Amino acid sequence: MEINGTTVELDLRYSEMNLSPGLMRALSEKGFTLATPVQAGAIPCFKDWKDVIAKAPTGSGKTFAFGIPMVEHTDPQGLDVTGLILAPTRELAMQIQDELRQLCAFLPGIRVACLYGGQPIERQINLLKKRPQIVVATPGRLMDHMKRRTVRLHKVETVVLDEADRMLDMGFIKDVTHILKQIPNRRNLGMFSATISREVMDISWVYQRDPVEIVVRPIQENRPKISQYRLKVDLGGKVDLLVSILEKEKLDRVIVFCNTKNNTDRITGLLRMRHISAQCIHGDLGQKVREQVLTAFRKGELRVLVATDVAARGLDIDDVDAVINYDIPEEGEYYVHRIGRTGRAKHQGAAYNLISSVTEDIRLDEIARNNKFEIKPITR
Ligand code: ADP
Ligand code: MG
């Protein structure tokens, strides 16, 4: 891990962080004793009200990196919102709320509310009447509540932008800056992201003061055990090859990544024609459909999830049997995220790359070189 550009190896236990007994109990119920690197970097800074900008790969424990110090700062007797977390999608907001509630399991009095579009606003107004101290929200819906004056942010001390890059990518930059401007007593701002984009830096320059920069690289740390393969095939033969990998390797839970929405739709159809249960997710699908697909996949009702990078980001889906890159991603960083979905929880994972052009071959070589990955060729 790097803090402000300096490499540090921090093996920090939660018990060394001066956390309250209730929080320690919640962590030990979950079986967690050692903080993940991004947590080891961010929690102490956040507790001191410093601004933090943290870049760490998916699955590195970013939620608790801001959740633990936010809960520690929360007054169980308080009646005002003091902690605000913004997230790009409803699923992510709900996931964060869920994790925060787990942290608060033994801290009676701390209330967490979640505000997102698509749910009747009245229900959320009732939640807000219960005076939560922590609010997790998507920017659009929070703005609605601000306009209706059903939420008051004048006592907010900590603001977190989770999946900051994606949120700003999705066109929330105006909403986010508007919200930040409405918080007069903010003490610190945390931005957590798997990648740091230009827009994230813009927000940082304007709204953060001497932020502590934490970078967790996917390569040295958290590197899961993943066997990576490359297979050469004619473009027209990719789907058949895909099916034969599924069958030969007896894969039951697989994510197939494509670079375009069009491809996800097309491949899904072609897989179904071959009697493989498959569904796709991409940015154009409504929240409801996306949620249904993800639930089916989590429950094991779907063998194949076909996804674009954007749609798959930030979702708590991991531990799949294998990741198959139907298209080689344009960005090396996407590749690292994609394969990080497999090889978790001590299981061996596998990533298959289907190559049908010289360009894809070159791109994969480049990814292998930059990340020091070994990608073994399979010849059939
Ligand atoms: P990110 O936001 O970086 O993608 P999450 O916060 O969703 O990652 O965490 C990924 C998983 O790791 C979650 O299931 C979470 O409960 C788990 N986790 C968090 N902290 C620890 C820890 N200290 N040890 C083991 N697992 C952890
Ligand atoms: Mg996250």
Side-chain angles (χ1 to χ4, degrees), residues 57-63 66 92 95-96 99 162-163 192 314-315:
T58 304
S60 55
K62 292 190 285 295
T63 318
F66 57 78
L92 190 59
Q95 211 170 287
I96 297 167
E99 296 229 26
D162 193 20
E163 298 278 334
F192 291 78
L315 294 174

Side-chain angles (χ1 to χ4, degrees), residues 85-102:
I85 299 158
L86 296 179
T89 63
R90 158 193 180 147
E91 292 99 336
L92 190 59
M94 282 162 51
Q95 211 170 287
I96 297 167
Q97 166 178 253
D98 186 53
E99 296 229 26
L100 292 184
R101 287 194 169 154
Q102 291 176 26

Side-chain angles (χ1 to χ4, degrees), residues 28-240:
S28 76
E29 296 265 316
K30 286 197 67 91
F32 299 169
T33 48
L34 200 63
T36 68
V38 67
Q39 294 166 4
I43 293 173
C45 301
F46 235 74
K47 281 183 80 189
D48 285 346
W49 302 103
K50 292 198 180 94
D51 287 336
V52 168
I53 179 162
K55 169 176 148 144
T58 304
S60 55
K62 292 190 285 295
T63 318
F64 282 2
F66 57 78
I68 289 173
M70 183 175 281
V71 167
E72 281 292 73
H73 279 158
T74 302
D75 174 7
Q77 258 98 52
L79 294 172
D80 298 294
V81 180
T82 47
L84 174 67
I85 299 158
L86 296 179
T89 63
R90 158 193 180 147
E91 292 99 336
L92 190 59
M94 282 162 51
Q95 211 170 287
I96 297 167
Q97 166 178 253
D98 186 53
E99 296 229 26
L100 292 184
R101 287 194 169 154
Q102 291 176 26
L103 284 181
C104 297
F106 305 102
L107 296 166
I110 300 187
R111 294 170 297 276
V112 186
C114 191
L115 312 175
Y116 49 81
Q119 191 189 43
I121 201 154
E122 287 74 24
R123 204 182 311 165
Q124 295 172 357
I125 293 174
N126 284 332
L127 282 178
L128 290 166
K129 282 185 184 148
K130 298 200 177 117
R131 314 296 296 262
Q133 300 96 333
I134 299 179
V135 165
V136 189
T138 54
R141 183 49 72 98
L142 182 66
M143 295 270 287
D144 287 348
H145 281 284
M146 288 161 72
K147 276 183 210 133
R148 290 167 178 250
R149 297 183 189 281
T150 46
V151 69
R152 305 245 300 154
L153 302 178
H154 64 298
K155 289 282 177 65
V156 168
E157 297 182 317
T158 297
V159 179
V160 168
L161 310 185
D162 193 20
E163 298 278 334
D165 56 343
R166 188 159 158 234
M167 186 148 52
L168 301 176
D169 253 10
M170 287 169 68
F172 283 131
I173 194 155
K174 263 197 171 149
D175 289 355
V176 168
T177 50
H178 179 85
I179 292 165
L180 285 171
K181 281 183 200 148
Q182 302 300 310
I183 299 175
N185 299 314
R186 181 167 56 80
R187 294 179 69 179
N188 65 338
L189 170 64
M191 299 212 274
F192 291 78
S193 222
T195 57
I196 302 294
S197 62
R198 175 73 206 281
E199 288 78 11
V200 174
M201 287 316 294
D202 286 349
I203 295 273
S204 172
W205 281 321
V206 181
Y207 294 96
Q208 291 190 311
R209 275 186 51 197
D210 292 334
V212 179
E213 281 192 55
I214 296 163
V215 178
V216 177
R217 300 209 182 272
I219 318 111
Q220 299 90 345
E221 284 147 306
N222 307 331
R223 181 185 251 184
K225 286 180 289 177
I226 306 167
S227 309
Q228 303 176 54
Y229 306 103
R230 75 166 79 209
L231 298 95
K232 294 203 177 170
V233 61
D234 292 336
L235 183 57
K238 275 195 178 183
V239 174
D240 286 329

